[in-house]
Amino acid sequence: MARLKPLSGFPEFLPQGQMVENHVTHILEQTFELHGFAPIHTRAVETMESLTRKGEIDKEVYVVNRLHAEPGEKPNPNDHLGLHFDLTVPFARYVLENSGHLSFPFRRYQIQKVWRGERPQEGRYREFTQADIDIVGSETLAEHHDIEAPLVMLEALERLHTELGFPTVTMHVNNRKLSEGFYRGLGIEEPAAVLQRVDKYDKIGPAAVKELLTGELGLSDEVADKCVALAGICTSDSSFIEQVRDFGVHNDMLEEGLYSLNRVVGAVNREVPGRMVADLKIARGLDYYTGTVYETMLSGHESMGSVSSGGRYDSLASDGKHTYPGVGISLGLTRLLAPMIGKGSIAASRSVPSAVLVAVNTEDDREVSQHIARQLRSRGVPCEVAPKADKFGKQIRYADRRSIPFVWFPGSVHDGVRGDDEVKDIRSGEQVVARADSWNPPAADLWPTVVGTW
């Protein structure tokens, strides 16, 4: 039989890698819940109408079709389904369907798979896990949440840095009102088209962006030069305001965007100095963003692109009678982890959760070993029972192959009396008498730890 080839763009981790993802997920969940975000899951599929009504994402959607339809069954538009490409669109639908049961502002986090039909490459996958936080209001949402959302995500990323050795991050932020107001002040009637092209600034460079603006949109060289020059402004303080005003462009929306962006950058940097910069090329390609927009880079790994992105959306969720504005930010968990796990730069300290292998003296005595294991587990010590009553040397080698640090030897039975149990640290060779109702491994060995070198 021919060897199976992996399906490109659909990463699968070995147990050590999966334990890394699980550990990172736990840190994220804990951080989000400390800030009052409640967990939700949404279905994997949405109607194609809802998936394609905002932004240019038609080519990214995986369409889901039934293999067999009932004879004579009429097509139902609601059966035209696709896998969700992010967690924001399904969240908007979730809010509309459940608004009568939610208390606003509603704070949710969601860690779930998403799918995009794009060309696979390092850092970009067809199936991957995202971790989102969003705060959504009913009719209105206070602007201070534009500051809160990035602070929560930055706190989570800082924990990954301090606890697991992940690189530090810098969050780049802009405001769509600033950019749109600037373009309108230049006389541009379709600012969304300019935003979509400026969003490619980091990928193709300023000269190529100008070519798109003049060639595809028909902007004059003078106007295109100003759009590109605006995108080149990046500061860690409020100096971006004067740089923008030096262009001599006037527009009320521009002034509103300048004020809002300055407020966000100043407030975040007071809490976590140096973690946020005003970067006026940040646009975000999806057109449901209406205000603040974020992108986050790993220090020293900027070539990976943004690992955490999001922004403010004032009209994504609406049923015609009520509007639910929100602000959210997403962390590309697979995008962050898969390259490092694949290179072995980050891994769990062992391939199984077990800290102890309980040896088996004979198959007739297996119940004794199972009872010891139950006692250890009842006190929170992860363990497993040896699969065979081999010679102890073979059972020790089995534990070593699985990186299990301790082997437990049940006491032998003589004249109906069972002797003392002993436990061996197979790394050091130290072996001591132990009781299953009181012995504990060192704290560092109780569960696998995540170690990494970035």
Side-chain angles (χ1 to χ4, degrees):
M1 181 178 176
R3 184 176 179 181
L4 293 175
K5 294 183 178 179
L7 191 58
S8 179
F10 295 83
E12 295 177 321
F13 298 143
L14 293 173
Q16 279 184 294
Q18 189 58 53
M19 283 193 284
V20 171
E21 183 179 286
N22 291 355
H23 189 69
V24 170
T25 297
H26 174 69
I27 290 174
L28 296 175
E29 290 174 337
Q30 189 179 63
T31 305
F32 300 156
E33 291 185 2
L34 281 170
H35 288 267
F37 289 82
I40 69 165
H41 256 60
T42 56
R43 66 198 185 208
V45 296
E46 300 290 334
T47 65
M48 288 299 295
E49 181 183 8
S50 67
L51 288 173
T52 59
R53 71 186 180 90
K54 290 286 185 179
E56 296 181 351
I57 46 73
D58 302 69
K59 295 181 180 179
E60 297 184 358
V61 177
Y62 275 106
V63 177
V64 178
N65 291 315
R66 293 174 58 193
L67 185 59
H68 299 291
E70 297 295 330
E73 184 178 350
K74 294 181 179 180
N76 186 336
N78 289 331
D79 289 339
H80 194 199
L81 305 174
L83 295 172
H84 57 227
F85 59 86
D86 73 358
L87 299 180
T88 305
V89 171
F91 175 56
R93 187 264 312 158
Y94 178 94
V95 169
L96 291 176
E97 290 186 4
N98 297 282
S99 59
H101 305 282
L102 303 177
S103 177
F104 295 97
F106 176 51
R107 307 157 69 84
R108 85 83 166 88
Y109 77 85
Q110 188 172 350
I111 302 176
Q112 202 170 332
K113 295 280 190 183
V114 300
W115 295 266
R116 294 182 185 176
E118 57 187 15
R119 185 173 67 85
Q121 53 186 300
E122 183 173 89
R124 291 194 177 275
Y125 309 96
R126 291 175 170 173
E127 178 184 72
F128 54 99
T129 300
Q130 284 192 183
D132 280 27
I133 55 171
D134 282 84
I135 307 169
V136 63
S138 178
E139 307 302 338
T140 62
L141 183 71
E143 195 174 86
H144 63 75
H145 294 299
D146 288 23
I147 298 166
E148 181 182 14
L151 281 173
V152 173
M153 188 60 76
L154 284 169
E155 181 177 322
L157 292 168
E158 187 66 21
R159 284 191 61 185
L160 297 182
H161 169 64
T162 57
E163 297 179 26
L164 304 181
F166 278 56
T168 57
V169 301
T170 303
M171 188 172 288
H172 297 240
V173 62
N174 192 12
N175 194 291
R176 292 280 284 257
K177 292 180 180 178
L178 188 161
S179 299
E180 181 175 343
F182 185 85
Y183 303 149
R184 290 190 182 279
L186 290 172
I188 297 172
E189 296 181 356
E190 295 185 9
V194 179
L195 281 167
Q196 288 170 357
R197 286 153 180 82
V198 168
D199 194 46
K200 301 176 182 180
Y201 188 102
D202 278 333
K203 294 179 182 178
I204 65 175
V209 170
K210 180 182 176 180
E211 288 183 14
L212 293 178
L213 295 177
T214 55
E216 295 183 359
L217 301 186
L219 301 186
S220 68
D221 285 340
E222 181 183 359
V223 169
D225 283 337
K226 288 186 176 180
C227 292
V228 171
L230 179 76
I233 296 174
C234 183
T235 72
S236 59
D237 54 24
S238 63
S239 61
F240 69 88
I241 297 175
E242 288 305 314
Q243 293 185 50
V244 172
R245 287 181 175 155
D246 284 344
F247 290 110
V249 177
H250 302 284
N251 181 273
D252 290 343
M253 183 182 289
L254 169 61
E255 291 301 317
E256 185 180 348
L258 285 169
Y259 170 80
S260 297
L261 180 59
N262 187 46
R263 187 168 180 265
V264 171
V265 173
V268 170
N269 279 328
R270 282 193 293 273
E271 291 288 329
V272 282
R275 287 289 181 261
M276 178 172 276
V277 297
D279 187 344
L280 304 196
K281 67 176 175 290
I282 303 301
R284 309 295 301 140
L286 297 171
D287 67 5
Y288 52 63
Y289 293 114
T290 55
T292 312
V293 284
Y294 319 95
E295 291 191 354
T296 310
M297 309 295 174
L298 291 177
S299 300
H301 300 268
E302 288 80 6
S303 61
M304 289 179 63
S306 177
V307 297
S308 179
S309 308
R312 160 76 72 143
Y313 43 89
D314 285 334
S315 58
L316 178 66
S318 176
D319 58 9
K321 295 181 179 179
H322 303 284
T323 299
Y324 301 94
V327 60
I329 188 164
S330 171
L331 174 65
L333 198 55
T334 307
R335 181 177 176 82
L336 179 67
L337 296 177
M340 296 300 106
I341 290 174
K343 295 172 184 175
S345 300
I346 187 167
S349 56
R350 55 183 187 255
S351 60
V352 296
S354 305
V356 181
L357 176 75
V358 182
V360 178
N361 290 331
T362 68
E363 289 300 333
D364 291 338
D365 293 335
R366 179 169 289 276
E367 177 56 37
V368 173
S369 298
Q370 291 174 339
H371 177 68
I372 292 169
R374 286 194 293 271
Q375 286 183 291
L376 291 170
R377 293 182 193 122
S378 71
R379 298 186 300 101
V381 179
C383 62
E384 58 187 87
V385 178
K388 293 177 62 179
D390 285 324
K391 293 181 179 180
F392 283 159
K394 287 188 175 180
Q395 295 189 56
I396 291 171
R397 286 194 291 275
Y398 174 82
D400 186 48
R401 287 196 301 271
R402 292 167 64 78
S403 301
I404 300 173
F406 295 94
V407 176
W408 191 285
F409 301 105
S412 301
V413 177
H414 298 287
D415 299 325
V417 178
R418 192 163 73 88
D420 291 334
D421 292 354
E422 294 187 0
V423 63
K424 180 173 186 173
D425 184 335
I426 65 173
R427 300 162 299 184
S428 66
E430 181 183 6
Q431 187 166 324
V432 297
V433 172
R435 291 174 54 92
D437 60 1
S438 59
W439 177 87
N440 286 302
D445 291 323
L446 183 60
W447 294 99
T449 57
V450 173
V451 292
T453 53
W454 290 77

